Amino acid sequence: MSWEVPLTTRALITGITGQDGSYLAEHLLEQGYEVWGLVRGQANPHVSRLRKHIGDVRLVHGDLLDQGSLISAVEKVRPDEVYNLGAISFVPMSWQQAEITAEVTGMGVLRMLEAIRVVSGISGSRTPGGGQIRFYQASSSEMFGQVRETPQNERTPFHPRSPYGVAKTYGHFITQNYRESYGMFAVSGILFNHESPRRGAEFVTRKISLGVARIKLGLTDKLTLGNLEARRDWGYAGDYVRAMRLMLAAATPEDYVIGTGRTQSVRELVELAFATAGLDWRHHVITDSALTRPAEVDLLCGDPKKARDQLGWEPGVTFEELVTMMVESDLALLSRSDRPADEPLSFDHW
Ligand code: NAP
Ligand code: G4F
């Protein structure tokens, strides 16, 4: 009688309590993975929210600011794959706290790579096979910044416009460097903006969907925004986490742009979100120059051709479907008589 040993892939996700972490954990569990999440702090309030959605995730403590904790986490979990999603990810915050952004969003990548290198016993220069642990870095279209061409692809030069973008650019190149120096299977996904009903309330899509819901329900009458002319390539987070796994399942370690190939302005987003709830945005939206940024990224539009051709990845949810999904979700959330105590805050100051 033959005995088939079940092969389970074990993944360690940093940033598991964030938007992408929760969708990625769900996706990997569906694929039969054993999923571990790195969580920081001794009573992180985001963990109970995560637990409400996903029961099957195992947790390990660690912080991207603490090298020893990352080595211990990798030693304990012994993952096949590491997805580094942890970051200070809100761009305006990165001007207020530039140093901590560099430490978490930039140097945190180096610390995670070092943890993998040390635990894998990789020393000196190229090790045959570069160890067994595959590494995904959450790079960002913010690295393109003041764009040199449109649409942006894997060969478009970087010109980051925020301390966050600069930190991400360091993370991107150090990932590439560990691949080239040690032969590690280390890749970056250059992801354009992706959103969902789980998006943080400080980001513009969710700020708008929550604002529309509040206005529709008579809880407020105004929504204050910054630059309405900025253009982004907005996709759905649930689609984008599929691309992360495909990158680590590929035959060779390569970087990929993940976007939809379409671009819309904040103004177009506002118009559509208000119209979805039967409202005219011009009666409710005001702008405040205090919400504009010291240096703006005016236009982002990704070219996902390489991901389509080599990974077979396609976005499933359109911009219009995404906006409808988010507005309807926030209307339902704020209509509930048992509204959760951790209902997202309003962020008029961001
Ligand atoms: P998010 O919701 O802001 O989540 C960020 C995560 O980072 C949270 O789980 C947070 O955990 C964790 N974190 C913060 N500081 C940490 C530290 N010192 N050590 C360990 N973990 C820490 O971000 P997201 O939208 O899911 O994005 C995921 C990743 O993709 C980020 O790296 C982001 O920069 C990048 N990205 C996002 C987009 C997008 O449009 N969403 C596009 C391109 C790239 P706590 O619960 O401890 O705060
Ligand atoms: O939603 P946002 O804050 O996202 P941003 O700055 O594009 O960054 C997001 O996407 C990046 C990928 O490109 C990620 F790497 C990053 O972690 C994050 O997830 O702002 C989008 C646009 C900006 O041009 C901003 O100036 O919306 C404009 N905007 C106009 N009024 C506003 C507001 N943004 C925010 N957050 N709040 C406003 O009131």
Side-chain angles (χ1 to χ4, degrees), residues 17 48 68 84 90 135 276 298 316 346:
T17 56
S48 55
N84 186 41
F90 187 46
F135 177 79
T276 299
D298 295 322
S346 163

Side-chain angles (χ1 to χ4, degrees), residues 89-92 140-142 164 168 191-193 195 199 202-205 207 224-228 230 232 234 266 291 293 296-297 300 350:
S89 76
F90 187 46
V91 173
S140 166
S141 51
E142 267 283 311
Y164 167 84
K168 279 288 176 188
L191 270 53
F192 284 67
N193 298 51
E195 320 291 319
R199 185 59 143 152
E202 64 274 40
F203 299 93
V204 78
T205 50
K207 183 173 171 180
T224 310
L225 296 171
N227 177 13
L228 300 184
R232 290 290 182 277
W234 278 293
V266 176
L291 295 176
R293 300 176 180 188
E296 177 64 282
V297 171
L300 289 174
W350 282 120

